[in-house]
Amino acid sequence: MLRKRWLLNLSLSLLLLCGCAEPKILDKLGLVTTGAYDLGKNGSILGTAVELSIKPNAANDIDILETHALTIKGNRIYGNKKASKRLVSGQLRVILYGEELLKQGKTNVAETLSSDPSISDMTFLAVVDGRARDLLQIQNKHIPDIGLHIFTLMEQNTQNKMMPPATIQEILRNKYTIGKEPTMPILRKEDSKDVLFSGVALFKGSKLVGKINTDQSFYLTLLTDKYKDGSKDVVINSESPKLKGRNQRLNKTVAALDSIRSSSKIKLINKDKPEFNIETKFTARLLEITSPIDVGKPSNIIFLEKEIEKSMEKEIEKLISFLQSKNSDVIGLGDIYRSSVRHSKLTDKKWYKMYKNAKVNVKVDFNILRTGLNE
């Protein structure tokens, strides 16, 4: 008797719990896949959302919804006032920010998003060169869903190490690590009908303080991550007679490398006046070189390795100098300093003062695996 009563009570409890769950019928929900935020009028935020259209006879695969509000969350509230379906963020994959909004540094974008349990912490974030809304307005018959196109573009470029990882999780981790700053990829509209990865945005806290191009972002990835199968055109800055007969089309020597594998070590060697050694080991296959040098000779291969090492060291030194001028430690030298010095009691404020004058010694060890074509 007691067992039957217990089973009856359990069944009633389960029924009540199921009855309390809010039903989510697909055709009554507006599935937002991509969001964009720009600086609006009088300090407001202009929000643009890509809503997936699930109507069988719809002319387009997506609907674009624009709103104005004083906060990012406010745009969601105002969006529901305009939408025919209740907007939900469970399918949100990418969030874009206009450059001017992030230059202000007053919007804690990642924190705002992470506080919403419906948004995955693996959602991609990116900066748009110009206004973010304009990127979502691209009209191209080959891109029926601009939100999905941007997501797959970012996904494959991140996997191939062309683009730095920039999920909500990654941004927050770097932002709250003392002695390290986050980065975001920069996207721009290309020929009014396409999307292009054009560089990397540098931050100091929540404020966008500088940008580097895709060539420089290659060297940044070289220092902060490992290449397993990358590719790169490297300009060889050399006055050697061996490279004097340069290709007339380019008027410079360029080496096309692929099958790139790399690893870097950063070591603090002086804690009183911060000084670091960066050692990068780098192997690749030489596919092409735009100078008439005989790559069949072992001595020429050794020569090219040394020249490429010197050229890459100069590029890395230029990059580090630029990062220091912006006081943006996206490499994480401060994090290495903090973990290397006991009881350093390092704070971001303290590190900013030290970082600008920190000395960084760069050494590249490059080996050509085998050669391909010669132009």
Side-chain angles (χ1 to χ4, degrees), residues 98-262:
E99 189 176 341
E100 292 303 315
L101 179 64
L102 295 183
K103 280 182 178 178
Q104 289 196 336
K106 298 177 181 178
T107 304
N108 293 322
V109 290
E111 292 89 337
T112 300
L113 299 171
S114 65
S115 65
D116 188 338
S118 68
I119 298 177
S120 168
D121 62 358
M122 299 307 291
T123 301
F124 285 122
L125 305 183
V127 179
V128 176
D129 185 359
R131 293 203 300 173
R133 71 171 295 278
D134 294 341
L135 207 63
L136 298 183
Q137 301 288 345
I138 285 176
Q139 299 292 324
N140 187 331
K141 64 180 181 180
H142 300 297
I143 306 177
D145 185 340
I146 185 63
L148 177 61
H149 178 74
I150 293 173
F151 169 69
T152 53
L153 180 151
M154 293 188 68
E155 184 178 48
Q156 72 93 1
N157 275 285
T158 300
Q159 290 173 351
N160 294 325
K161 307 294 184 183
M162 296 292 289
M163 184 182 288
T167 60
I168 294 175
Q169 181 185 69
E170 191 79 20
I171 297 295
L172 286 177
R173 184 176 65 188
N174 288 339
K175 182 180 176 183
Y176 287 111
T177 297
I178 294 174
K180 190 167 186 182
E181 301 292 349
T183 61
M184 284 189 203
I186 300 173
L187 305 177
R188 78 160 185 249
K189 185 189 287 189
E190 181 79 355
D191 299 328
S192 302
K193 59 180 181 180
D194 213 342
V195 182
L196 175 73
F197 166 50
S198 63
V200 174
L202 310 173
F203 286 82
K204 180 181 177 183
S206 297
K207 187 175 182 179
L208 193 159
V209 294
K211 298 186 288 185
I212 58 175
N213 59 35
T214 52
D215 284 333
Q216 292 168 308
S217 72
F218 168 81
Y219 294 105
L220 178 61
T221 302
L222 199 66
L223 300 178
T224 58
D225 205 342
K226 291 183 178 180
Y227 279 102
K228 294 182 179 179
D229 190 22
S231 58
K232 181 76 171 80
D233 283 351
V234 175
V235 177
I236 304 176
N237 297 307
S238 173
E239 296 300 324
S240 172
K242 290 186 177 182
L243 299 176
K244 282 296 184 183
R246 295 172 178 172
N247 182 290
Q248 295 301 313
R249 174 175 55 86
L250 294 176
N251 195 32
K252 57 186 174 182
T253 300
V254 181
L257 308 175
D258 82 339
S259 300
I260 293 174
R261 291 180 176 272
S262 74

Side-chain angles (χ1 to χ4, degrees), residues 22 24 29-34 37 72-73 76-77 80 86-95 110-124 168:
E22 185 180 0
K24 293 185 178 180
L29 299 178
L31 304 179
V32 177
T33 61
T34 309
Y37 299 102
I72 288 176
K73 289 289 180 69
R76 169 87 65 83
I77 297 169
N80 274 305
R86 184 165 66 86
L87 301 177
V88 293
S89 302
Q91 295 301 312
L92 191 64
R93 294 292 176 264
V94 180
I95 298 175
E111 292 89 337
T112 300
L113 299 171
S114 65
S115 65
D116 188 338
S118 68
I119 298 177
S120 168
D121 62 358
M122 299 307 291
T123 301
F124 285 122
I168 294 175

Side-chain angles (χ1 to χ4, degrees), residues 224-365:
T224 58
D225 205 342
K226 291 183 178 180
Y227 279 102
K228 294 182 179 179
D229 190 22
S231 58
K232 181 76 171 80
D233 283 351
V234 175
V235 177
I236 304 176
N237 297 307
S238 173
E239 296 300 324
S240 172
K242 290 186 177 182
L243 299 176
K244 282 296 184 183
R246 295 172 178 172
N247 182 290
Q248 295 301 313
R249 174 175 55 86
L250 294 176
N251 195 32
K252 57 186 174 182
T253 300
V254 181
L257 308 175
D258 82 339
S259 300
I260 293 174
R261 291 180 176 272
S262 74
S263 63
S264 293
K265 291 183 179 179
I266 305 176
K267 184 178 180 180
L268 176 70
I269 61 173
N270 188 339
K271 67 178 182 179
D272 298 321
K273 293 183 178 179
E275 183 177 355
F276 299 85
N277 280 347
I278 295 181
E279 295 181 2
T280 296
K281 291 187 176 181
F282 182 64
T283 62
R285 182 175 60 168
L286 178 64
L287 287 184
E288 179 182 346
I289 186 164
T290 61
S291 287
I293 183 172
D294 185 0
V295 295
K297 291 183 178 181
S299 60
N300 285 342
I301 292 296
I302 294 172
F303 164 76
L304 287 174
E305 287 174 342
K306 297 303 179 185
E307 292 301 312
I308 289 173
E309 283 175 357
K310 288 189 287 186
S311 296
M312 293 181 68
E313 285 171 359
K314 288 180 181 177
E315 291 301 317
I316 293 172
E317 288 167 357
K318 283 168 58 179
L319 171 63
I320 293 172
S321 178
F322 179 73
L323 297 177
Q324 288 179 304
S325 72
K326 297 297 179 181
N327 221 354
S328 178
D329 185 6
V330 296
I331 296 173
L333 297 178
D335 185 34
I336 293 168
Y337 182 93
R338 180 181 58 83
S339 61
S340 302
V341 180
R342 284 189 176 186
H343 312 298
S344 64
K345 297 181 180 179
L346 193 68
T347 63
D348 282 327
K349 186 176 181 180
K350 183 179 177 181
W351 178 242
Y352 288 146
K353 292 179 180 179
M354 301 167 68
Y355 174 61
K356 284 187 176 182
N357 299 313
K359 185 179 180 182
V360 183
N361 309 306
V362 179
K363 175 62 179 175
V364 175
D365 181 5

